Amino acid sequence: MSSNSDNWQELLRHYEATVNLSLHKRFDADPERAKKFGFECGDLWIDIAKQKVDAETIDLLFALAEESGVNDFFHSMSSGNIVNLSENQPALHTFLRRPLSHENNKELRSVSENINETFNRMSELEEKIKNKQLFGFSGKPINSVVNLGIGGSHLGPFMAFEALRDYANPEIEMRWSSGLDTADLDDALQGLDPESTIIIICSKTFNTSETISVASRALNWLSSGGVSNTVSQVFAATSSPKNALSFGVLQENIFPFSESIGGRFSLASPVALGLMISIGSKSFKEMLNGMDVIDQHVLEVPRNIPMLLGLIDVWNNSIFGINSLAIVPYSYRLRYLPAHLQQLMMESLGKSVSTEGEPLKIKSGVAVLGASGTDAQHSFFQMLHQGTEAIPVDLIGFAHLSDETSQELIANLIAQAETLAFGQDVDEIGNPLLPHKILSGDKPSTVILAPSLSPSILGQLVALYEHRTVSAAVTLGINPFDQWGVEFGKQSAIEIANELATPEIVSNRDSSTKALMARYRHWRDATP
Ligand code: F6P
């Protein structure tokens, strides 16, 4: 998309013409608004009526998507073509959840057959552990799993594990560790028996320093716990099997996946082996099927719902100039969804050059924040209601979570959407506090409702946000699948760690960095 295109200029004109049209006025002008802007998508109900859009806005946004080739992009991606241009790779995450029977293309069939074979191996491991047929070196049946990984090798599977705890096998203790801080792994290992525990190392590259460091400590824990043949209790999910073999993982314990599956898009990949062991391959397959429902919707419906949500993100961010997005699931079990979507949306859209390497002339990407429902209301909702800048919020709710509180949670969700949109007049004329108490309203929100938080619906939600993010990126003309910005920081950290460990090195870094390093050394070397 070019910011000089007719569609873009038409959209800017439309913005100027409608920016001051409040939600109040938009609803007053069209009694059918709620009906026109509510949509089914799989088992999800998506309500965008409280976004600052109208029918013309949506038409102009879809025209922009058409000009940007968003539909063609999804079909090309789904055909295994190279769509990640800066890394010269396809993006194969939708192949992970596509039933083998759907694959007619001979070349692509081999991709799907490899995926299917790995899933069958994962399922066999899950079955063995469930049936107490997998034994540690001393003959104890395995009943505990410690999952190691960071970023996309942690956030998605961990979020899904917590979301689907009601489907977890109570006889298997699942633990998760992602960070470099030893306290993270210590807590994960707390109370476990090394002789009945397996370690799953999830790392696409198998050279992420944090994960390798944590994995080494986890293996030390196994051996210091009496496990002499540690490798028999170590598994790996990676697109770099050679690196896993070099680390010492046995070939038969490696679950490979394509390097063309991005970390933040890898929930359906072998990095979710721990999740599958916990909830079972049947529930895991239901999650994949839910993802595939949305994948097929995107391919079959040109003006599809994930694209519409991505276009509204472009409208709010790149045209309205809003810099944040709040994700608020009214579900305790879904409380880690915002963290997963933070990586998905910010690592995909946080770019400043186009796919051709040209500096972007428009804003791209927002800061994603979030927390679970009523907790968020007692945390950052003040700013949502009375801040100087509107922060669009996704309010996600479920009809059946628990008999006691589902209705109250949904009532809170609906009340917040209403108050954000229409505000609250305060008829206390003469009250000096009046200015402080008025809620202006006109704050945009999208409501996403579903019958329950099942594996299928979780899969639909995740795929909805994946395709929403990709749609926004392609409309903006950026690559959603690379992340060059995080590579340099890793290298710099290795150099600074080396300088901190080697006092004779004279650092040529900036004065602030050197001052911070000196401050750390002062405390490090002071006698406690
Ligand atoms: O943050 C950079 C990143 O490469 C993410 O994209 C990725 O999910 C994470 O690091 C972990 O990478 P790996 O799975 O290779 O350990």
Side-chain angles (χ1 to χ4, degrees), residues 149-154 202-208 211 257 262-264 266 271 343 347 483 486-487 490:
I150 199 166
S153 292
H154 167 74
C202 298
S203 178
K204 185 179 157 185
T205 57
F206 224 92
N207 72 4
T208 300
T211 304
F257 58 96
R264 53 194 176 275
S266 65
V271 297
Q343 185 200 10
E347 203 167 64
Q483 57 283 321
V486 292
E487 301 311 323
K490 296 178 183 179

Side-chain angles (χ1 to χ4, degrees), residues 3-23:
S3 53
N4 300 321
S5 78
D6 292 347
N7 283 317
W8 185 259
Q9 294 306 317
E10 187 58 36
L11 208 52
L12 290 178
R13 277 192 289 277
H14 176 68
Y15 165 73
E16 295 301 337
T18 61
V19 60
N20 295 318
L21 204 50
S22 71
L23 285 168

Side-chain angles (χ1 to χ4, degrees), residues 205-487:
T205 57
F206 224 92
N207 72 4
T208 300
S209 59
E210 298 92 331
T211 304
I212 299 305
S213 166
V214 175
S216 304
R217 279 189 281 114
L219 267 64
N220 290 339
W221 174 78
L222 282 178
S223 57
S224 59
V227 178
S228 52
N229 179 19
T230 53
V231 288
S232 64
Q233 293 175 217
V234 177
F235 296 81
T238 184
S239 58
S240 311
K242 288 200 179 86
N243 290 349
L245 286 170
S246 309
F247 183 79
V249 183
L250 300 174
Q251 179 76 49
E252 63 268 27
N253 286 2
I254 295 173
F255 295 87
F257 58 96
S258 166
E259 64 174 355
S260 298
I261 291 166
R264 53 194 176 275
F265 293 91
S266 65
L267 173 58
S269 82
V271 297
L273 173 60
L275 171 67
M276 181 195 275
I277 291 171
S278 174
I279 66 174
S281 47
K282 177 176 173 296
S283 293
F284 187 81
K285 188 64 185 156
E286 285 169 10
M287 183 184 79
L288 299 195
N289 292 342
M291 299 177 103
D292 188 55
V293 164
I294 307 301
D295 297 346
Q296 296 313 312
H297 164 69
V298 164
L299 294 172
E300 291 159 7
V301 181
R303 292 174 65 135
N304 61 74
I305 302 307
M307 185 194 293
L308 176 56
L309 295 181
L311 290 168
I312 290 173
D313 288 337
V314 170
W315 173 250
N316 284 335
N317 169 220
S318 310
I319 292 186
F320 263 81
I322 292 169
N323 296 308
S324 316
L325 171 68
I327 308 279
V328 182
Y330 277 74
S331 152
Y332 167 75
R333 294 231 182 283
L334 207 50
R335 65 194 183 281
Y336 293 107
L337 180 68
H340 170 59
L341 297 183
Q342 231 172 29
Q343 185 200 10
L344 174 66
M345 301 179 93
M346 293 178 75
E347 203 167 64
S348 300
L349 296 169
K351 316 283 166 69
S352 52
V353 296
S354 69
T355 46
E356 289 76 33
E358 295 300 319
L360 283 186
K361 297 188 177 71
I362 50 175
K363 294 170 77 114
S364 79
V366 291
V368 174
L369 63 139
S372 65
T374 49
D375 295 86
Q377 292 174 200
H378 295 274
S379 164
F380 55 78
F381 267 58
Q382 163 61 36
M383 181 177 270
L384 300 190
H385 286 293
Q386 291 187 321
T388 50
E389 177 185 287
I391 297 178
V393 54
D394 288 0
L395 302 165
I396 303 168
F398 303 90
H400 302 290
L401 283 180
S402 73
D403 296 341
E404 303 87 76
T405 58
S406 288
Q407 186 154 295
E408 197 177 346
L409 282 167
I410 289 290
N412 271 277
L413 183 158
I414 293 171
Q416 290 298 327
E418 180 189 58
T419 310
L420 286 165
F422 307 117
Q424 178 185 323
D425 289 332
V426 181
D427 57 358
E428 298 171 17
I429 305 301
N431 178 344
L433 285 180
L434 187 59
H436 302 282
K437 297 173 83 172
I438 289 174
L439 299 182
S440 63
D442 214 28
K443 311 286 188 181
S445 67
T446 291
V447 173
I448 300 173
L449 298 181
S452 65
L453 183 51
S454 65
S456 169
I457 285 170
L458 179 67
Q460 293 178 47
L461 262 178
V462 171
L464 177 83
Y465 276 93
E466 287 178 350
H467 298 316
R468 162 177 177 172
T469 301
V470 172
S471 297
V474 176
T475 302
L476 291 167
I478 60 180
N479 180 351
F481 299 121
D482 59 6
Q483 57 283 321
W484 296 103
V486 292
E487 301 311 323

